[in-house]
């Protein structure tokens, strides 16, 4: 361990770049043949699991985006879907159930140069993790959040998820659920996400294109990917969705209320497309501006200067 | 019993919330420190937002002020209630300065001492504002006890100068009137006198200030937290100062998010901190385990308050030691440090950051309500020579110098060796090389699952054993590095030892210093780190000791139990859990009893 | 302690009434002169705190509703506003920060005959407590939830709240907040509340009337009460609101998307009124129906019968 | 060394996930229990959702099966991998039944024992379905080891009868073919034989079943939980059965909500429960404190799994004892009980509900992965005589019988006596009268703040002391009531004692029983409740003991430390933390060494 590598990471205490990053759509890098930075580990998912489609679409999107592997950080919670970071040879963090959004915020604050991709399942995002999802979206943190929605708890072998919906029979709702479903697209729009879309793990072309656009969007981008669980959610299989899924031709709205009225109509639940895209300052940029202004107004103090406020 | 050291003076100001009790006390403290006096303070304010009594107390002397002592020497009561509620804490020879007619039928009568009446309210109005009552009091104090009035007027100018010339004027007038009133109406009938400063100007910080400031000094550049009494000031300080040094402060949506954010930022190589109190620490238990397992260092400050549950949020207790050490499912190593006074808050926070970064481990700093809120003077730190750890990250291997080989045995069947970065490499110290996002060629996936040296999930027994040992080895390294850091005062050969931690250690110091002056054979032992316990040094110092007194502010003897099970010591636990700190005089009798072998073990 | 009282509480193990309660608006009881069941404890709030208005309006509403004191359970979290239960001589539970909604759900499941009123502040509801708020609303639990919104953390002496909004200067945002505000009315509507209104602690008449209607509504009723904090939020004082508050004449919508488009327009932030009222099965009723059906289908088993599934 | 008790047979079936290993094992277990054999089982399945090895093991005998023992007597391997991965666990004299050509170059060769080849796959296809491989194996087992085939066929009818006649037919055919194949092709070359049942039909439950069922029996009518391995089955059982008895089961949004819901329901008088594993218990720490402070009883089941953090969710560990006992800021009393086997899971759960209701205190039941998942036979409980506590609520006072007076001293100034319900009345037992919402005239406000007897927030030291004492008194009452409940086996005068808790206690029982048979002088001590520790009885039984062995499945000796600090005992901790339970043979050497005074303490 001797020769130093060209590291683009900031060293300890090296000041962060406080120049507010331009909040403009990112340009694509040169499309490189990298096979999406896949790692040597084989996914442990059941054969036919929808999440294989997600990994494929994501790999292709990353190829197009041309990001280098050391500039990507996957952050996930705990669930079947959250295993995803292992299957890419990028930086990754398989954290704990429900808290990935907050870890992602820390990563992004720690090194705003990283491309942070947050992944998880419907329970991880919208049951135990709802609070962090909402407040991270509200802040418009510049990350891409991908929910692999199978309307069931896969890893714990088939219980009700917030997106399952009324009358749904699972291990924990043997007489059918009495809980109305949570509309994750609507929640993301209300909470403050600035890019909200839905895709489908069996439509890899659409998925790839959606992920590319979502990732290029500066701010909190949420993509709900319908990703069936063959093992524990027989009701919502690929066959079920095949008949129901359609791709919208409409443009993304720039008004939240309009976007909401689209995603709240029941029929729209299986529509693929981008429903909202707005440009608002990102948390990263706003924090950087604030730090810059504070340093300019009050000066960058030495420790000797700082202690004088206690004299 | 040891004679009172009259060079130390303990003064308390008491009045209604809103009467300027706290600001008068803080001004006096600040000025005293500037003049080179040693000073330590204590304040309480009503736990409800408004109304009730406010109390500010300061103790000064020619050398380090060890604690608040046992009794007040001077009570400045802005009104009758201030007298009624505080007089019991004063020695019978104490000096009372007051603004009420003592002719009133006082429920508590004094049996001695000296009284001076000063019409503070009236003089304040004369000076131009009823709000200057506190300044009248300060003027009287200067005159009565020889506090340098020039220092005070200088202090007023510094404090209010920016605000308005008018305020300065009124305040100076009020000080004058207070002093004048004393001069003209009272003959000095007491001996008490502030001792002079040594001319070394000191700074005044609260425990919370010292932690927050210490974090900046240690290189902390990310803070995430959620407001909670009595820790909020730490966040508020960092909200002001971190952005100036390119740091980031985020007010999270709750405590779980706070620590998760810190874990994320630490993962990228930023030194990170969060601060909270008991309820928040409880909420963070799960995520703390992730930091241990994924080996992500961070600093978590717990400014303890009285529980359980919401309990008494503005009262003192040392009740979170168990939670800090044991609050995890399975073995999730974390280092626990408890500073004993304000100055220690600064240095132990720096220490905490150094350990967190070097050992890639979460470090909990256990502060406490009465420490977080009290201000004390301390010398300016020598920043040039401050020991701040800078992490060396891993470097890409070269032909001549490849990545260290991982142990083929534990990699095992079905888990091929791969040329990926061995993030959790096992070695003698347990401290693995680390890369951070942005460094090419050393990508890895941090994880809360049990994993192998390449960070791949693994559940088989041999790997499990190897990784448990690796994490334990790291913890033992901390124990080794800090194993000698046990403070011992007193008689090395004593059969009686007394021990404690955090704020109580400071009070014990005071009690033991007195006992030693009286010629008692006793020693005090304070470990600097409570987990991992510095076993070698503790065993050494406990050797030959027959009886150990453990004092702490909780009702089950959390620390005493550790001393019992680790060292098989004969422990008599002296416990207090009423929401108020120990006074040295409460500890002294136990020392005496232990020496006479009268304590029940 | 000998003579038994006429207790309407279910005894241990006495089966709950599984007859699904009618999900129709409740009729008012006879208006009694009870002074709103106020207790002997005096509120500890600062003089002039908005919460005094809330307690007044609530007391008057309770008088009109005519509920007996032993049938009301106030559940609160931790904050200035959450002190409210002490000031009523009803059953009450001053719980912990952010978790009151979940405790309320337990209370309601434990004894569906109780009228449960959930109270708290903007931080308690929408920072640490967001997740529980959302899922309790989604389930349409039959409780009344009152947020005393002062856009600040009162009890901890003045830090940023999720409802404070950008540029707001507080102890924890000395350079002005970089976080856009959370729209609590929109969040409640999206999450699944079936009655959503806003009122103002200085308009006691409106407040009282709104609370009465909200309480009579079967299902999750959310009332956001603007309730200024004089001590720590000087920016949003009564004077500030005086100019901005208006009462809408419009009827409550029965369509979520429509209601959302109203509460999402910025100008509507200080509009008082009821924005949404829909009738949907309550969680209580749905649970009762489920239990009834299960008992009918599969029988009410004795322990001796139950153990046979393990034979 | 004690001779193997040949009346006990340990059989393991091993194959691919999906080959019916688990269902064959469960059928065999069920049938054995119906016939009155004693049986205990153990299973593992791959931690990933699909693929990997499935293993089912059962041990039967004429009397209570204490543990899984040390070695397999019989291995039924559906394929080569089943052999390779399990053969090391078999004694050299063991019997192998297999479906592969042993001619293959086996990596592990046997040095003795008897082999029987049965072409299970081929015969299954003959019977009509490749999925009936497991039934072929069962048929062969009946023939080889004298398991009553009629019982088995009856079992198949009961299990599949409702599903389809066709399935029953295929399965019966497969059983026949398996038995026939053995009869025609093999001569019995071993002595092993299942012992006959005693005719008392038993039921078969897993630890999770027993907890869930026990809850219903104890009167639990509210459950809230969040799925987590290995506790989820408890929720799933109650989701099915609670509604039938007018109960409610709610799947909460997370663990914090789960316990908060239980607190709410308990407050209304419903007996409530939640179940989780380590990460969930950590998250519940804060709310648990509220239950302690507000004195709301509830039962929290923690089915422990290997940590820290997410760790190894499908592996065994006893790592949560510290968290259960100490996982609180300040002193938040909770009772901790750890059942030792499946039957104990039932009775201790009932116990837990009784304590929770009577003492208005949270009770944690510490189960464990290997206990939650293993099934065992037990006699049907005697429900008539089951001790189920029914709470008596307070009653409205009458003229002749008013509410008890509260202590005027602690009510104090500024806190007038009022005629409101004294919910937190102090008395000798610390157990206050309770009212529940809906009871007129006895309204009160439960609270997590420190409070007085009328439930009003209060922070003054005298009241604080009084209420701390009250809560402690209650805890001491539990200690008194359960203080005798310590199980002791063996030689009362022994100088060597061995102790442990939870599942490990069951294994220790097995090891000690053997040692006693060999004439060793040793005793085993198991406290039934781990907090409050039954100090009186423990001290009594430890009296005269010179060396204590503590066994547990964690790497720091959480229980051992308690024994050390509470009783000053000379403890040698035997720790294991590789994700797998102890076998009795791993414990035996330590007993022997302790008797020879060779253990290092
Ligand atoms: C604190 C905590 N609670 C519960 C669990 C158990 N758990 C793991 S994943 C999961 C939910 C899985 O469902 P989902 O998020 O929809 O993802 P999927 O597996 O379907 O991809 C749960 C409840 C946990 N690991 N940690
Ligand atoms: C777990 C936990 N975290 C933090 C706190 C501290 N705390 C008490 S109240 C409060 C927020 C108060 O603000 P809000 O909810 O808006 O109510 P208000 O006081 O303004 O009425 C906080 C952060 C706590 N008691 N418990
Ligand atoms: S259980 Fe479902 S979600 Fe999980 S891997 Fe299998 S198919 Fe995928
Ligand atoms: S601090 Fe604000 S919210 Fe709290 S009581 Fe005072 S005015 Fe009311
Ligand atoms: Mg899912
Ligand atoms: Mg507020």
């Amino acid at each position: 361990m001797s020769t130093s590598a060209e590291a683009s990471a900031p060293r300890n205490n090296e000041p962060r770049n406080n120049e507010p990053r331009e909040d403009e759509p990112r340009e694509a890098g040169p499309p490189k043949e990298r096979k999406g930075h896949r790692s040597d580990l084989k996914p442990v998912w059941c054969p036919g699991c929808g999440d294989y489609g997600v990994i494929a679409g994501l790999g292709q999107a990353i190829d197009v985006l041309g990001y280098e592997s050391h500039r990507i950080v996957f952050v996930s919670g705990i669930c079947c879907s959250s295993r995803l970071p292992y299957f890419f040879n990028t930086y990754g963090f398989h954290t704990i159930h429900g808290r990935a959004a907050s870890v992602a915020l820390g990563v992004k604050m720690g090194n705003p140069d990283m491309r942070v991709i947050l992944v998880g399942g419907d329970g991880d995002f919208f049951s135990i993790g709802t609070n962090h999802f909402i407040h991270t979206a509200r802040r418009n943190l510049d990350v891409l959040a991908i929910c692999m929605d199978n309307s069931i708890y896969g890893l714990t072998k088939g219980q009700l998820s917030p997106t399952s919906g009324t009358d749904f029979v699972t291990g924990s709702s043997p007489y059918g659920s009495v809980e109305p479903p949570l509309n994750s697209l609507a929640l993301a729009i209300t909470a403050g996400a600035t890019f909200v879309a839905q895709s489908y793990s069996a439509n890899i072309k659409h998925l790839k294109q959606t992920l590319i656009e979502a990732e290029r969007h500066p701010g909190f981008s949420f993509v709900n990917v319908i990703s069936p669980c063959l093992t524990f959610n027989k009701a919502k299989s690929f066959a079920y969705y095949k008949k129901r899924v359609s791709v919208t031709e409409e443009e993304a709205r720039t008004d939240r209320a309009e976007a909401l009225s689209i995603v709240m109509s029941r029929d729209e639940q299986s529509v693929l497309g981008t429903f909202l895209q707005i440009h608002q300052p990102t948390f990263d940029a706003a924090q950087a501006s604030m730090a810059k202004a504070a340093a300019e107004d009050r000066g960058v103090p030495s420790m000797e200067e700082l202690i004088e406020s206690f004299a | 019993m040891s004679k009172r050291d009259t060079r130390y003076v303990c003064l308390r100001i008491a009045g209604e919330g809103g009467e300027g009790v706290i600001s008068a006390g803080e001004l006096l403290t600040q000025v005293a420190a500037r003049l080179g006096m040693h000073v330590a303070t204590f304040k309480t304010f009503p736990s409800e937002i408004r109304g009730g009594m406010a109390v500010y107390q300061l103790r000064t002397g020619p050398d380090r002020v060890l604690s608040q002592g046992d009794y007040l020497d001077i009570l400045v009561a802005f009104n009758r209630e201030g007298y009624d509620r505080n007089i019991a804490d004063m020695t019978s020879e104490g000096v009372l300065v007051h603004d009420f007619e003592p002719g009133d039928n006082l429920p508590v009568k004094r049996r001695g001492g000296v009284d001076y009446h000063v019409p503070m309210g009236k003089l304040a109005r004369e000076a131009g504002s009823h709000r200057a009552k506190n300044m009248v009091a300060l003027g009287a104090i200067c005159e009565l006890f020889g506090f340098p009035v020039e220092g005070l007027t200088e202090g007023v100018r510094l404090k209010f100068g920016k605000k308005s010339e008018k305020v300065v004027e009124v305040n100076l007038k009020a000080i004058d009137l207070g002093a004048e009133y004393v001069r003209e109406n009272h003959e000095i009938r007491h001996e008490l006198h502030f001792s002079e400063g040594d001319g070394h100007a000191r700074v005044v910080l609260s425990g919370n200030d010292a932690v927050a400031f210490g974090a900046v000094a240690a290189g902390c550049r990310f803070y995430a937290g959620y407001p909670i009494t009595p820790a909020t000031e730490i966040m508020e300080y960092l909200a002001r100062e971190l952005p100036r040094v390119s740091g980031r402060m985020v007010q999270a949506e709750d405590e779980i998010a706070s620590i998760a954010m810190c874990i994320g930022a630490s993962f990228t190589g930023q030194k990170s901190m969060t601060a909270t109190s008991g309820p928040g620490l409880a909420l963070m238990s799960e995520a703390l385990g992730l930091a241990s397992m994924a080996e992500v260092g961070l600093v978590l400050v717990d400014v303890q308050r009285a529980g359980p549950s919401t309990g008494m949020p503005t009262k003192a207790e040392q009740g979170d030691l168990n939670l800090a050490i044991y609050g995890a499912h399975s073995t999730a190593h974390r280092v626990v440090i408890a500073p004993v006074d304000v100055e220690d808050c600064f240095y132990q926070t720096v220490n905490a950051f150094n350990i967190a970064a070097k050992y890639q481990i979460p470090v909990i700093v256990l502060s406490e309500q009465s420490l977080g809120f009290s201000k004390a003077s301390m010398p300016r730190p020598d920043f040039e020579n401050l020991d701040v750890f800078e992490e060396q990250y891993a470097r890409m291997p070269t032909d001549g110098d490849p990545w260290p080989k991982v142990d083929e045995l534990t990699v095992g069947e079905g888990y091929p060796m791969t040329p990926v970065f061995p993030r959790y490499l096992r070695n003698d110290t347990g401290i693995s090389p680390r890369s951070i996002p942005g460094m090419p060629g050393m990508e890895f996936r941090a994880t809360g699952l049990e994993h192998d040296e390449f960070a791949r999930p693994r559940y088989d027994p041999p790997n499990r054993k190897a990784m448990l040992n690796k994490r334990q080895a790291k913890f033992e390294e901390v124990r080794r590095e800090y194993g000698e850091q046990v403070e011992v005062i007193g008689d090395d050969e004593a059969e009686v030892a007394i021990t404690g931690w955090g704020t109580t250690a400071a009070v014990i110091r005071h009690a033991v210093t007195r006992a030693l002056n009286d010629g008692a054979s006793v020693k005090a032992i304070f470990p600097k780190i409570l987990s991992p316990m510095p076993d070698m040094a503790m065993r050494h110092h406990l050797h030959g000791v027959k009886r150990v007194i453990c004092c702490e502010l909780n009702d089950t003897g959390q620390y005493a139990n550790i001393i019992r099970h680790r060292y098989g010591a004969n422990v008599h636990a002296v416990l207090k859990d009423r929401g108020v700190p120990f006074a040295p005089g409460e500890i002294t009798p136990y020392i005496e009893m232990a020496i006479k072998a009268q304590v029940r073990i």
Side-chain angles (χ1 to χ4, degrees), chain A, chain B:
Chain A
M1 298 215 177
S2 60
T3 25
S4 158
E6 261 274 71
S8 67
R11 292 283 150 170
N12 256 337
N13 291 340
E14 235 176 58
R16 283 189 198 69
N17 182 0
N18 278 335
E19 281 313 315
R21 247 149 270 274
E22 57 335 337
D23 275 351
E24 277 138 45
R26 273 172 285 278
E27 286 304 305
K32 293 180 201 147
E33 232 29 62
R34 322 183 147 258
K35 294 192 191 136
H37 299 311
R38 291 290 291 278
S39 77
D40 289 347
L41 281 188
K42 282 222 194 71
V44 288
W45 297 315
C46 310
C49 172
D51 295 351
Y52 286 102
V54 179
I55 223 174
L58 194 48
Q60 293 183 16
I62 288 175
D63 278 347
V64 173
L65 289 160
Y67 296 154
E68 292 157 295
S69 59
H70 62 281
R71 296 192 156 264
I72 301 175
V73 184
F74 280 106
V75 181
S76 68
I78 293 289
C79 58
C80 287
S81 326
S82 286
R83 285 258 175 172
L84 187 139
Y86 294 115
F87 313 132
F88 286 92
N89 186 31
T90 65
Y91 283 93
F93 205 153
H94 185 213
T95 69
I96 45 177
H97 194 37
R99 318 302 172 185
S102 302
V103 175
L105 191 146
V107 170
K108 194 71 188 168
M109 289 291 104
N111 188 344
D113 287 330
M114 295 298 106
R115 299 306 316 148
V116 176
I117 305 176
L118 174 61
V119 295
D122 36 322
D124 200 41
F125 269 52
F126 296 115
S127 191
I128 192 169
T130 329
N131 198 12
H132 312 303
F133 179 86
I134 285 185
H135 289 283
T136 311
R138 176 170 68 85
R139 296 182 184 110
N140 199 26
L141 184 76
D142 183 21
V143 298
L144 165 58
I146 305 170
C147 177
M148 303 179 219
D149 186 358
N150 52 17
S151 298
I152 195 89
Y153 283 11
L155 191 65
T156 51
K157 307 194 168 181
Q159 296 78 32
L160 198 68
S161 138
T163 61
S164 299
T166 326
D167 298 332
F168 206 72
V169 174
T170 71
S172 58
S173 57
Y175 305 110
S177 165
V178 296
E179 308 192 356
L182 177 146
N183 184 328
S184 62
L185 297 169
L187 194 68
I189 296 170
T190 306
T194 47
F195 182 105
V196 177
Q198 178 155 271
S199 191
Y200 180 35
S201 75
N203 187 340
I204 299 204
K205 213 178 120 210
H206 184 270
L207 178 58
K208 166 188 162 187
Q209 200 48 42
T210 306
L211 292 177
I212 290 170
E213 279 160 31
E215 169 50 36
R216 284 193 186 149
H217 171 82
F220 193 86
S221 309
F222 173 60
V223 182
N224 194 60
V225 184
I226 299 168
S227 178
C229 168
L230 302 188
T231 308
F232 295 109
N233 192 349
K234 314 264 187 219
K236 295 195 171 172
S237 60
F238 283 108
Y240 167 92
Y241 281 110
K242 190 160 192 164
K243 296 187 213 122
R244 280 171 186 77
V245 156
S246 65
V247 179
T248 178
E249 298 291 307
E250 290 182 56
E251 286 260 302
R253 305 301 155 116
T254 55
D255 178 273
R256 285 184 196 280
E258 270 181 47
L260 276 168
S261 86
I262 295 176
V263 303
M264 287 192 103
S265 59
R266 277 234 155 262
D267 305 344
E268 303 292 325
Q269 296 287 334
S270 302
V271 172
L272 315 185
T274 302
F275 303 104
L276 179 83
Q277 182 165 18
I278 326 185
H279 289 279
Q280 278 175 2
T282 65
F283 191 58
D284 330 28
Q287 283 268 5
S289 310
M290 182 173 82
K292 197 181 170 202
E296 278 169 11
D297 283 10
R298 301 186 51 213
V300 178
S302 66
M303 290 312 298
E304 285 76 8
E305 281 158 23
L306 264 189
I307 201 161
E308 291 315 312
S309 66
F310 300 110
Chain B
M1 260 270 271
S2 103
K3 268 193 57 193
R4 247 188 56 53
D5 186 339
T6 48
R7 299 170 310 154
Y8 291 84
V9 174
C10 185
L11 173 149
R12 183 183 293 178
I13 311 177
E16 281 300 310
E19 286 191 315
V21 168
I22 308 288
S23 67
E26 292 193 337
L27 182 62
L28 207 58
T29 307
Q30 207 84 45
V31 172
R34 260 183 226 134
L35 298 172
M37 302 179 191
H38 292 260
V39 53
T41 75
F42 171 77
K43 69 181 169 189
T44 65
F45 43 80
S47 56
E48 282 82 42
I49 293 300
R50 270 285 160 84
M53 274 271 104
V55 157
Y56 195 99
Q57 175 174 320
L58 77 166
R59 195 158 174 273
T60 73
D63 208 337
R64 188 135 162 231
V65 179
L66 293 173
S67 84
Q68 287 299 310
D70 295 304
Y71 296 106
L72 297 178
D73 303 304
I74 306 168
L75 172 63
V76 181
F78 283 12
N79 53 31
R80 249 294 294 284
E81 210 191 344
Y83 172 85
D84 289 350
R85 295 251 201 138
N86 294 286
I87 191 64
D89 297 340
M90 186 143 85
T91 56
S92 51
E93 317 90 64
V95 181
L96 171 70
V97 185
H98 62 88
D99 182 11
F100 57 87
E101 286 309 314
D104 300 11
N105 47 350
L106 294 176
V108 188
K109 292 269 196 301
R110 304 187 65 202
R111 278 177 304 156
V114 188
D115 290 9
Y116 301 99
H117 176 254
V118 178
M120 304 175 196
K122 184 165 152 277
L123 296 175
R125 282 186 299 275
E126 255 173 56
S129 162
H130 70 282
R131 297 176 59 198
K133 198 168 170 181
N134 55 353
M135 293 295 146
V136 175
L138 292 186
I141 289 170
C142 288
E143 191 62 33
L144 283 166
F145 307 104
F147 192 91
V149 75
E150 320 74 49
L152 193 67
T153 53
E154 170 77 16
V156 166
R157 279 207 188 83
L158 278 170
K159 190 168 177 181
F160 300 103
K162 276 192 200 151
K163 239 182 175 178
S164 106
E165 200 41 48
K166 177 91 178 55
V167 174
V168 172
E169 236 168 66
V170 170
N171 283 343
L172 293 185
K173 180 92 189 282
I175 291 174
D176 264 2
L177 289 179
E180 192 186 287
Y181 184 89
V182 169
R183 260 196 314 275
E184 296 184 354
N185 295 280
H186 294 300
E187 191 181 317
I188 306 296
R189 286 166 289 140
H190 62 264
E191 312 248 291
L192 270 175
H193 201 277
F194 281 98
S195 46
E196 261 173 46
D198 59 9
H200 293 296
R202 295 188 174 77
V203 287
V204 176
L205 290 81
S206 70
N208 281 344
D209 290 336
V211 164
F213 181 73
V216 180
C220 172
R221 291 299 177 269
F222 182 77
Y223 179 93
Y226 189 69
I228 189 166
T229 307
T232 313
E233 288 78 13
I234 297 173
M235 179 170 84
E236 295 190 342
Y237 179 85
L238 292 172
R240 290 192 301 274
E241 306 304 351
L242 269 189
R244 297 175 67 194
V245 293
S246 294
R248 298 284 186 270
M249 149 35 219
V250 177
Q251 181 179 328
E253 55 271 25
D254 62 19
E255 287 85 353
I256 303 177
S258 305
I259 188 166
M261 289 173 185
C262 287
I263 291 173
S266 279
F267 174 67
T268 69
Q270 298 290 347
K271 292 187 181 174
S272 306
M273 181 168 92
T274 185
T276 185
S277 189
L281 179 61
L283 285 170
M284 292 179 184
S285 308
E286 192 211 0
L288 254 184
L290 173 64
S292 301
M293 189 62 147
E295 303 195 38
V296 172
L298 58 87
V299 174
L300 189 170
V301 179
D302 172 14
V303 188
Q304 299 164 93
R305 66 189 210 184
S309 195
T310 313
M312 310 194 295
T314 52
K315 299 287 173 184
E317 184 176 351
Q318 301 180 290
D320 299 357
L321 182 63
N322 277 341
L323 183 62
I325 299 181
Y326 302 122
H329 57 289
S330 186
T331 307
H333 295 106
R334 65 277 296 264
V335 174
V336 179
I337 307 182
V340 303
D341 57 28
V342 168
E343 188 168 355
D344 208 27
C345 279
F346 175 82
Y347 290 102
Q348 294 299 352
T349 301
V350 175
N351 224 348
F353 274 97
N354 290 347
I355 297 174
K358 177 166 174 192
Y359 293 96
Q360 306 170 16
I361 198 170
V363 180
I364 298 177
V365 176
L366 281 183
S367 179
E368 191 256 297
Q369 188 272 344
S370 71
L371 178 55
F373 278 172
S374 357
K375 296 197 171 186
S377 58
M378 62 175 263
R380 287 172 172 71
D382 172 4
F383 296 107
E384 288 274 297
N385 294 308
L386 192 67
D387 177 23
V388 171
F389 178 81
E390 289 302 334
E391 192 171 353
Q392 292 303 315
Y393 297 113
R395 285 157 186 255
M396 276 294 278
T398 56
D399 277 357
D401 189 9
W403 274 329
K405 267 262 180 319
V406 312
D407 182 348
E408 302 218 19
L409 259 182
T410 63
V411 171
E413 206 199 334
Y415 295 89
M417 305 287 275
T418 66
V420 302
F421 179 58
R423 166 66 183 97
Y424 297 108
L425 186 83
R426 289 162 50 222
N427 52 28
D428 289 349
T429 60
I431 307 171
S432 307
R434 187 161 93 111
S435 63
I436 55 174
M439 296 173 73
M442 290 184 283
E443 297 85 355
F444 71 98
R445 273 63 56 192
T447 175
L449 290 175
E450 189 58 279
H451 47 263
D452 66 11
E453 300 181 67
F454 297 116
R456 298 174 301 195
R458 285 278 296 280
Y459 298 172
D460 53 297
N463 178 71
R464 166 71 166 177
K465 175 171 185 248
M467 298 311 280
L468 278 179
N469 288 350
K470 167 197 156 40
R471 291 187 294 265
Q472 183 65 35
K474 211 170 64 168
F475 203 55
E476 292 303 328
E477 275 296 307
V478 179
R479 200 193 305 278
R480 220 177 332 264
E481 179 167 356
Y482 294 86
E484 295 305 315
Q485 301 203 10
V486 173
E487 178 183 332
V488 180
I489 53 179
D491 177 0
D492 221 29
E493 307 287 296
E495 288 193 350
V496 169
I498 179 162
T499 182
W501 60 284
T503 43
T504 299
V507 184
I508 294 174
R509 259 196 207 143
H510 198 168
V512 168
T513 308
R514 284 190 198 161
L516 291 169
N517 285 344
D518 289 352
S521 171
V522 59
K523 64 174 149 182
I525 306 177
F526 309 119
K528 289 275 159 179
I529 294 192
L530 296 172
S531 180
M533 280 291 274
D535 287 337
M536 286 263 291
M538 289 297 285
R539 285 215 179 83
H540 172 79
H541 295 301
L542 286 169
H543 187 79
V545 168
K546 297 219 172 112
R547 290 171 295 282
V548 181
I549 308 282
C550 276
C551 304
E552 51 190 319
L553 292 176
N554 63 59
D555 69 342
T556 55
Q558 303 184 0
Y559 173 72
N561 283 343
I562 295 174
I563 301 300
R564 284 196 188 99
H565 79 70
R566 290 196 88 83
Y567 312 116
N570 253 336
V571 172
H572 179 82
V574 177
L575 307 175
K576 187 174 178 188
D577 192 6
R578 319 278 152 82
V580 282
F582 276 106
E586 291 174 313
I587 292 173
T588 308
Y590 290 97
I591 299 177
E592 288 165 0
M593 278 153 63
I595 289 171
K596 295 189 206 131
Q598 286 170 343
V599 295
R600 202 175 52 84
I601 302 272

